[in-house]
Amino acid sequence: MPTDNEFTRILQWPGYRVYRHQIDEKNRTLDLWVRRKRGNRKLECSGCGHKFQNSYDCRERTVRDLPWSEFQAAVHIEVYRVKCPTCGVKVEKVPLLPSKAPFSKRFEDAVGLACESASARQVARRFGLAERTVRAIDLRYLERWAATRRKTALRQMGVDEIYRGKSDKFLTVVSNLESGEPLWFGKERKKETLDEFFRTQLRSGQRRRIEAACVDMWEPFRLSIGEWVPGCRLVYDKFHILQHANDAVDEVRRAEFFRKGRKMRDVIKGKKWLLLSRWKNLVPRQRGVLNRLFQLNRRVFKAYLLKESLEQLWDYRYEGAMLNYLRKWMDQLRWQRLPSFQALAEMLLKHLDGILNYCRTKVRFGVVEAINGNIRMLINRGRGYKNMRYLLLKAQRMAVTNTEYLAFTRIRKTA
Ligand SMILES: [Zn+2]
């Protein structure tokens, strides 16, 4: 039988020693009773950090610790209270006990780490905990991480929205384009939403440091940025603009579908996904299907070409060249009778400055999309993200650890 001394050496709780142990072989549990080592007598008030020599009283707390082989381990620990002139009678600070919950810090760390690559339900099963408990542990784990890490200064920001369905509507996501992480979530997507970010999250000095914002052509966001960070350059997000081009293609597809007779409907039917895909991402068989459709319907063909060629706009590094390309692109619209593309062209002209700004300030397009992809995946996988703070921390941790690196690169390539 190991001695208390040997248990102390294996347990490795700094400053604490085992003075009693109990092994239950039938239930596979190990119980250890620990108290401060001699010489470890300095008590710290958990409220203000003041140090004390004397205690007020002492209680025993029981926490679950990492398992020992097949045995679930519980540690019973003596915890003191101090009589603090500032805080009153207060429990001492014990680094091994991060919260009031009955778990040791390293047990919580193990659960939190497991939550980085598995769902709360899977982790709950593995550790024999309730799913709710796992989420609470994970949230504390992430809060501790967020409190100690260094944050990257915000110089280029991304603003985007996520549609969360009929009841929750939109979620506004503000991100740091350089560190590739989300910074803040806001309900809805009004001007007031983004105003709240600037008002509550940044000091005026931090706001002044923002040099560029990558946004959708969404007026409320533009207005808010103009008001709070007037020196910041707006750069309209390439992927959003291409999304508008995709919508325009889809409108042509639908119009042709209803305009033409039965035969043409059968040709167009079921091709939506192909038409919205990029040519370079299609395999030869899919290209063949599209080519047959293009031979029969010139207007759909033209719409597809316009969409495909628009992307090259962002290959230009000089404003003049970019503008020149855009003019040529618009020239192709003449006599085509494609109202959805006419509307798109007007939209581009109206937002021209923010498109050309890409030549003045390079931003990383695709970061916003990747962040949103990760958030959507978290929402779909985790079900219970009623707690926005938890969702944000989770997405930040994901961005920093690159857990979903594969998803990140895939989105970047296909978008
Ligand atoms: Zn105190």
Side-chain angles (χ1 to χ4, degrees):
M1 217 36 187
T3 62
D4 285 338
N5 199 11
E6 282 161 336
F7 273 116
T8 300
R9 279 160 63 193
I10 298 172
L11 181 70
Q12 295 206 356
W13 273 31
Y16 285 81
R17 66 181 173 88
V18 178
Y19 67 93
R20 199 188 138 199
H21 64 263
Q22 189 181 311
I23 298 167
D24 184 337
E25 282 185 61
K26 193 164 147 277
N27 294 315
R28 302 230 167 153
T29 59
L30 168 68
D31 282 78
L32 299 169
W33 282 261
V34 305
R35 60 170 56 124
R36 284 168 170 271
K37 281 180 183 165
R38 260 179 286 276
N40 178 23
R41 277 277 157 243
K42 265 220 184 86
L43 306 173
E44 192 181 325
C45 169
S46 61
C48 64
H50 196 90
K51 304 275 198 314
F52 296 88
Q53 287 293 338
N54 299 316
S55 61
Y56 176 77
D57 64 2
C58 180
R59 302 158 171 221
E60 191 180 275
R61 262 188 75 184
T62 301
V63 294
R64 188 167 158 189
D65 197 26
L66 295 177
W68 292 43
S69 177
E70 301 285 308
F71 285 66
Q72 191 171 311
V75 176
H76 309 270
I77 175 172
E78 283 183 4
V79 178
Y80 291 93
R81 290 200 298 174
V82 294
K83 200 169 179 182
C84 175
T86 321
C87 314
V89 174
K90 196 88 184 166
V91 70
E92 64 159 326
K93 187 180 171 188
V94 185
L96 300 162
L97 307 176
S99 78
K100 285 181 176 143
F103 307 105
S104 70
K105 179 172 181 296
R106 62 187 187 191
F107 181 80
E108 293 211 339
D109 288 350
V111 171
L113 194 66
C115 285
E116 280 176 12
S117 50
S119 71
R121 198 194 326 165
Q122 289 167 309
V123 175
R125 203 180 310 138
R126 205 166 106 200
F127 283 84
L129 296 163
E131 213 175 308
R132 186 166 33 89
T133 310
V134 168
R135 287 214 178 91
I137 292 175
D138 191 23
L139 178 57
R140 287 196 294 273
Y141 168 78
L142 292 167
E143 289 284 11
R144 283 198 293 276
W145 164 73
T148 54
R149 77 190 183 107
R150 278 186 59 189
K151 292 181 183 83
T152 319
L154 182 60
R155 289 184 304 183
Q156 299 194 341
M157 66 184 282
V159 186
D160 198 7
E161 72 260 348
I162 291 181
Y163 183 63
R164 295 198 73 195
K166 277 192 182 118
S167 59
D168 290 320
K169 297 279 162 54
F170 286 95
L171 185 69
T172 293
V173 179
V174 178
S175 46
N176 185 330
L177 294 184
E178 286 171 306
S179 65
E181 62 175 324
L183 297 176
W184 184 82
F185 292 158
K187 284 203 175 115
E188 301 184 89
R189 51 165 181 171
K190 298 175 179 162
K191 176 177 175 293
E192 292 78 20
T193 314
L194 195 54
D195 287 346
E196 194 194 332
F197 167 76
F198 288 124
R199 195 180 57 242
T200 64
Q201 304 296 307
L202 302 175
R203 293 185 303 273
S204 63
Q206 290 174 304
R207 288 199 295 270
R208 270 199 299 277
R209 236 165 281 153
I210 302 175
E211 58 182 39
C214 185
V215 292
D216 189 5
M217 295 179 287
W218 178 248
E219 196 66 1
F221 290 162
R222 191 183 68 79
L223 291 174
S224 178
I225 290 168
E227 187 180 315
W228 288 89
V229 272
C232 160
R233 261 190 193 138
L234 276 186
V235 183
Y236 290 116
D237 189 63
K238 170 181 160 184
F239 293 100
H240 277 116
I241 294 173
L242 293 177
Q243 185 57 49
H244 288 294
N246 254 348
D247 293 345
V249 170
D250 201 41
E251 229 170 277
V252 174
R253 179 192 66 89
R254 258 177 300 160
E256 290 302 290
F257 183 83
F258 289 111
R259 203 171 61 90
K260 299 280 171 132
R262 175 91 193 279
K263 190 171 159 251
M264 187 49 80
R265 280 187 201 182
D266 285 342
V267 173
I268 297 177
K269 211 173 154 186
K271 307 290 189 306
K272 178 177 172 173
W273 182 82
L274 278 181
L275 281 169
L276 301 188
S277 297
R278 304 271 307 281
W279 186 256
K280 67 177 184 191
N281 294 331
L282 296 178
V283 299
R285 190 186 51 78
Q286 295 169 318
R287 288 180 180 179
V289 172
L290 273 189
N291 271 331
R292 277 193 292 284
L293 166 62
F294 293 155
Q295 274 159 20
L296 291 164
N297 192 309
R298 235 192 91 73
R299 229 179 260 187
V300 172
F301 178 45
K302 194 74 206 176
Y304 189 84
L305 281 185
L306 284 164
K307 176 201 70 150
E308 282 286 299
S309 58
L310 185 60
E311 201 201 353
Q312 287 160 37
L313 189 59
W314 288 273
D315 293 344
Y316 293 95
R317 290 172 56 203
Y318 299 101
E319 281 171 61
M322 197 182 200
L323 190 60
N324 203 20
Y325 184 81
L326 187 61
R327 283 216 186 94
K328 275 193 196 141
W329 186 83
M330 284 178 185
D331 283 346
Q332 296 175 64
L333 290 174
R334 242 179 266 171
W335 323 119
Q336 295 297 332
R337 282 172 298 155
L338 296 169
S340 62
F341 275 91
Q342 288 293 350
L344 176 63
E346 275 158 39
M347 188 191 232
L348 295 180
L349 281 177
K350 205 178 144 207
H351 296 88
L352 190 59
D353 212 38
I355 295 170
L356 296 178
N357 268 345
Y358 181 63
C359 297
R360 299 168 192 142
T361 304
K362 284 272 177 294
V363 296
R364 284 167 65 206
F365 288 137
V367 174
V368 165
E369 290 303 302
I371 290 172
N372 278 8
N374 280 347
I375 295 168
R376 267 189 224 106
M377 185 166 57
L378 279 170
I379 292 172
N380 293 340
R381 198 172 67 181
R383 289 185 302 161
Y385 284 108
K386 293 275 171 255
N387 183 343
M388 281 296 115
R389 171 79 184 152
Y390 184 29
L391 180 61
L392 177 64
L393 286 168
K394 203 82 189 142
Q396 287 179 335
R397 180 79 186 155
M398 201 181 234
V400 171
T401 56
N402 263 334
T403 321
E404 309 295 336
Y405 190 71
L406 278 176
F408 185 78
T409 45
R410 195 167 57 232
I411 286 164
R412 273 233 301 229
K413 266 186 204 144
T414 55

